[in-house]
């Protein structure tokens, strides 16, 4: 069994999965989400809830509010908080989105950031390098 995010890691750990294009980062995340079967003596154990945000951003043909609510009932406090933690009030400036959402709002959760943006690595707790599918 592989424990790269195992129970020995404290809650709130921010892990970055990095590697060049085509090295296997997306396959690893797909396996973690149960979209690819585990191979060999590996298995995936998820504790709690999982939220996944794809690397391909998209919106559907609706209002900004409808894109944010994504079918949920409107709660003005929660809606305002979503606007704040995603830094939409500040023209979707990317760095404060990372700071407010990933580092601040979700800090008590285990977070996995899959990226080839190396400038984020100094801000994570652990780095997993994927190379040639390993």
């Amino acid at each position: 069994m592989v424990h790269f995010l195992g129970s020995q890691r404290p809650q709130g750990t921010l892990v970055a999965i990095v590697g060049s294009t085509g090295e296997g980062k997306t396959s690893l995340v797909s396996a973690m989400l149960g979209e690819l079967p585990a191979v060999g003596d590996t298995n995936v154990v998820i504790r709690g809830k999982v939220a996944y945000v794809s690397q391909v951003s998209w919106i559907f043909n609706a209002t900004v509010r409808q894109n944010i609510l994504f079918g949920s009932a409107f709660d003005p406090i929660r809606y305002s908080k979503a606007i704040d933690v995603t830094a939409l009030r500040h023209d979707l400036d990317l760095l404060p989105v990372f700071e407010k959402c990933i580092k601040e709002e979700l800090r008590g959760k285990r977070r996995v950031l899959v990226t080839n943006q190396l400038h984020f690595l100094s801000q994570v707790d652990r780095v997993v390098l994927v190379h040639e599918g390993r």
Side-chain angles (χ1 to χ4, degrees):
M1 179 165 27
V2 177
H3 287 283
F4 92 93
L5 292 175
S7 59
Q8 69 274 22
R9 301 285 177 219
Q11 280 300 104
T13 302
L14 176 55
V15 177
I17 300 174
V18 297
S20 299
T21 301
E23 296 286 356
K25 299 182 302 292
T26 301
S27 295
L28 175 59
V29 172
S30 293
M32 291 168 59
L33 295 171
E35 295 175 356
L36 284 177
V39 295
D41 64 347
T42 62
N43 64 17
V44 176
V45 177
I46 301 293
R47 292 183 180 92
K49 297 179 182 178
V50 173
Y52 171 71
V53 181
S54 173
Q55 64 186 351
V56 178
S57 59
W58 57 274
I59 60 171
F60 58 94
N61 188 18
T63 66
V64 171
R65 178 173 159 167
Q66 289 170 322
N67 272 275
I68 292 170
L69 293 177
F70 209 69
S72 297
F74 178 70
D75 174 337
I77 294 171
R78 189 169 183 213
Y79 179 78
S80 181
K81 187 174 185 176
I83 296 283
D84 288 338
V85 300
T86 58
L88 285 173
R89 295 191 199 282
H90 226 237
D91 296 327
L92 299 174
D93 187 281
L94 186 58
L95 187 56
V97 171
F98 178 79
E99 288 295 325
K100 287 182 146 234
C101 187
I102 304 298
K103 301 262 327 232
E104 292 176 19
E105 182 63 23
L106 298 174
R107 77 176 155 268
K109 309 281 186 193
R110 181 157 307 148
R111 294 135 310 149
V112 178
L113 175 66
V114 181
T115 185
N116 56 18
Q117 302 290 320
L118 301 181
H119 63 276
F120 288 117
L121 298 187
S122 65
Q123 300 180 61
V124 304
D125 301 308
R126 186 166 185 198
V127 176
V128 175
L129 173 63
V130 178
H131 179 67
E132 296 181 354
R134 301 182 68 82

